[in-house]
Amino acid sequence: MGAGPPIQELHYDDAPNVDTVPGPNSRRLLERQREVDSSAVAYPEDIPVAFEEGKGATVRDVDGNTYIDMFAGIGVLNVGHANPYVLDAVHKQADKLVHTVDFPTEARIELIEKLDEIAPGDLSGNNRVVFGGPTGSDAIEASIKLAKYNTEGSGLVAFRGAYHGATSGAMSITGNKKFKGNYTPLLSDVVHAPYPNPVEMGKSPEAAVEHALEEVQAIFEDPYGGLANPAGIFVEPIQGEGGVVVPPKGFLQGLRDVADDHGVPLVFDEIQSGLGRSGQWWASEWEGVTPDVMTSAKALGGTGFPLSATIYHEDLDTWDAGDHAGTYRGHVVAMRAGTRTIEYIQEHDLLAHARDLGEYIRGRLREAGEGNPHVADVRGRGLFVGCEFVDAEGNPADDVADAVQDYCFEHGVLVWKAGRHGNVLRLLPPLVLTEELAETALDVIVDAIEAATTATQRAD
């Protein structure tokens, strides 16, 4: 087949279409899950539903309710649920060969070549790729090892508000104290600098960047900066879990300059922001700043298959055989899916589509926030969108974000939250979301914001 059907043909025609939610079948499965599954299960606590099937930017639950999906499995399904162009390759590959560790296959080499084709800046044509296990955390662990191996350093610079994963090294550079508090000690030589969030800091964008970079420079240059032997700087070009925080212009370049001045790798975590999510292949391309190391996962597996990769400049390829390993670094089905995903995005010009549709979505949210004191900020790039809520005193209002999410669920639109205080509406729809579906979803979201903030004002 060619590069698959146009995005208009990918979705359920009846979305959104919901009756009472959760329905009886969802409630039954949720109860069964509570009886047998881990107490660490989190997502059904916010959206109590059991899913049956999905198409494009729509998903259907076990009771037949159909939703517009503005979440995409935390940004995994960039080309949508069950994309036929991706699944065609998946079915053919699964019938032949699934697992090869790191023996060469056509699927492996083709994906590496495709990643080189879309690599940012001078990483293109000058990189190596190491595949990892099933999650983005594995790619972060590989990047930490790579930085330490090449610098013989031990210290890591990361940022407040950051999320990098749930394994030991990834948690160490994650900012959330509660998330990692029960698992200390983790990596001990980590310093977290401020991430330039003008809303959080109460500063202008320029002042926020200046302050953040001064703090980073001090870590390296101040004799009492606290980091004796630095190995690398680790940063999200757009913070995801931190609240879809887009750093103001100059921050990423400033980090590039500090890393160069002190001879350490600059590592960009593009796990949530990459593979077209921001309207560029990589969010760092918005600022024209190229990292030494870049991590990818989530959407890399095409249609939900687990695969992660660390892409790094070839000058850092100093490992000996076996210095980094992982059983699932040869998931050839996921590799086929990854290549097909990149091809589909290219063929259907989904980067431009994400930029245009993202502008529309943010515009609708800004209109909803005009004159509304509870909408503090609307931000993002491409189809990576955040809307931050505050109370009458300007403090984070997680109850408003909760109410918006609940209203949307009850009206057939799936949204999620983020931010240090859980007060940011985070939209991560598949890149195949159509203008028609976006308009319908935003009608619901805008109504949800009005209902939630009106209720808050009455309570105040």
Side-chain angles (χ1 to χ4, degrees):
M1 61 191 305
I7 64 173
Q8 289 78 11
E9 298 179 10
L10 297 180
H11 321 278
Y12 293 122
D13 293 334
D14 61 335
N17 183 12
V18 298
D19 197 351
T20 302
V21 293
N25 292 323
S26 280
R27 291 197 298 271
R28 175 177 54 81
L29 282 174
L30 289 164
E31 180 58 34
R32 286 176 62 189
Q33 182 180 45
R34 282 189 286 269
E35 293 172 354
V36 300
D37 210 337
S38 167
S39 59
V41 166
Y43 288 95
E45 296 298 312
D46 287 307
I47 298 182
V49 66
F51 294 113
E52 178 76 12
E53 56 187 349
K55 288 180 66 177
T58 58
V59 64
R60 190 167 285 161
D61 71 17
V62 291
D63 294 287
N65 296 303
T66 308
Y67 307 83
I68 299 175
D69 185 1
M70 302 291 282
F71 178 52
I74 329 180
V76 166
L77 301 161
N78 282 14
V79 295
H81 296 268
N83 185 295
Y85 182 67
V86 176
L87 290 183
D88 174 68
V90 164
H91 295 151
K92 290 176 180 176
Q93 183 62 55
D95 287 340
K96 294 169 58 179
L97 184 68
V98 173
H99 177 69
T100 63
V101 194
D102 59 7
F103 290 101
T105 62
E106 290 289 341
R108 183 187 191 89
I109 303 305
E110 286 177 5
L111 180 54
I112 292 173
E113 291 173 345
K114 207 66 180 170
L115 288 170
D116 177 67
E117 182 181 323
I118 65 171
D122 63 3
L123 273 185
S124 181
N126 300 292
N127 67 80
R128 293 291 183 269
V129 176
V130 59
F131 290 109
T135 73
S137 298
D138 296 286
I140 293 295
E141 298 290 346
S143 68
I144 292 172
K145 290 170 63 177
L146 186 70
K148 288 185 172 184
Y149 193 92
N150 277 276
T151 62
E152 299 183 356
S154 60
L156 310 176
V157 179
F159 292 87
R160 298 169 199 164
Y163 179 82
H164 295 286
T167 52
S168 182
M171 274 200 294
S172 300
I173 59 175
T174 289
N176 189 329
K177 296 177 182 179
K178 181 180 179 181
F179 179 70
K180 61 186 182 179
N182 292 325
Y183 308 107
T184 56
L186 299 168
L187 299 183
S188 58
D189 219 3
V190 178
V191 176
H192 286 84
Y195 196 91
N197 182 345
V199 174
E200 189 84 22
M201 290 179 169
K203 297 177 180 288
S204 70
E206 296 78 12
V209 169
E210 182 179 5
H211 174 66
L213 291 177
E214 284 176 351
E215 290 290 322
V216 175
Q217 288 170 335
I219 291 169
F220 285 90
E221 298 171 9
D222 186 339
Y224 286 79
L227 198 62
N229 194 12
I233 301 172
F234 295 75
V235 65
E236 297 162 273
I238 298 175
Q239 283 193 341
E241 299 297 326
V244 194
V245 182
V246 180
K249 185 175 178 60
F251 176 63
L252 297 183
Q253 183 59 55
L255 294 182
R256 176 74 274 171
D257 295 340
V258 172
D260 290 342
D261 289 345
H262 295 278
V264 299
L266 177 61
V267 182
F268 284 169
D269 179 346
E270 292 266 14
I271 290 165
Q272 191 166 144
S273 59
L275 267 297
R277 167 60 49 196
S278 75
Q280 302 284 0
W281 282 113
W282 312 103
S284 60
E285 292 181 278
W286 282 99
E287 300 299 329
V289 179
T290 304
D292 303 295
V293 184
M294 184 172 66
T295 59
S296 181
K298 289 191 181 294
L300 183 62
T303 187
F305 287 98
L307 184 66
S308 68
T310 303
I311 305 162
Y312 56 95
H313 197 281
E314 61 187 3
D315 290 349
L316 299 175
D317 195 36
T318 57
W319 274 328
D320 290 328
D323 277 351
H324 183 69
T327 300
Y328 288 100
R329 65 190 189 276
H331 193 334
V332 288
V333 175
M335 291 170 179
R336 286 288 188 205
T339 298
R340 282 291 180 95
T341 292
I342 294 170
E343 291 174 349
Y344 190 88
I345 292 171
Q346 289 173 323
E347 180 67 21
H348 297 273
D349 200 13
L350 294 188
L351 300 184
H353 178 69
R355 293 193 294 270
D356 293 342
L357 204 57
E359 284 295 325
Y360 166 76
I361 291 171
R362 285 186 293 277
R364 288 288 305 272
L365 292 173
R366 289 187 180 111
E367 288 176 8
E370 289 178 1
N372 188 331
H374 296 288
V375 178
D377 194 28
V378 176
R379 54 186 179 250
R381 300 276 199 190
L383 289 174
F384 200 3
V385 179
C387 179
E388 184 166 355
F389 300 107
V390 295
D391 64 17
E393 285 73 43
N395 299 312
D398 60 323
D399 56 334
V400 174
D402 288 340
V404 169
Q405 183 180 58
D406 292 344
Y407 182 103
C408 288
F409 171 53
E410 293 165 2
H411 291 80
V413 177
L414 302 178
V415 302
W416 212 256
K417 300 169 297 182
R420 300 184 187 193
H421 310 285
N423 64 318
V424 178
L425 171 69
R426 175 174 44 160
L427 303 180
L428 296 166
L431 307 186
V432 298
L433 182 75
T434 63
E435 294 177 7
E436 181 180 8
L437 286 170
E439 183 176 352
T440 301
L442 264 294
D443 288 343
V444 172
I445 293 169
V446 167
D447 287 345
I449 292 172
E450 182 177 353
T453 55
T454 298
T456 299
Q457 288 166 353
R458 287 173 180 165
D460 292 341

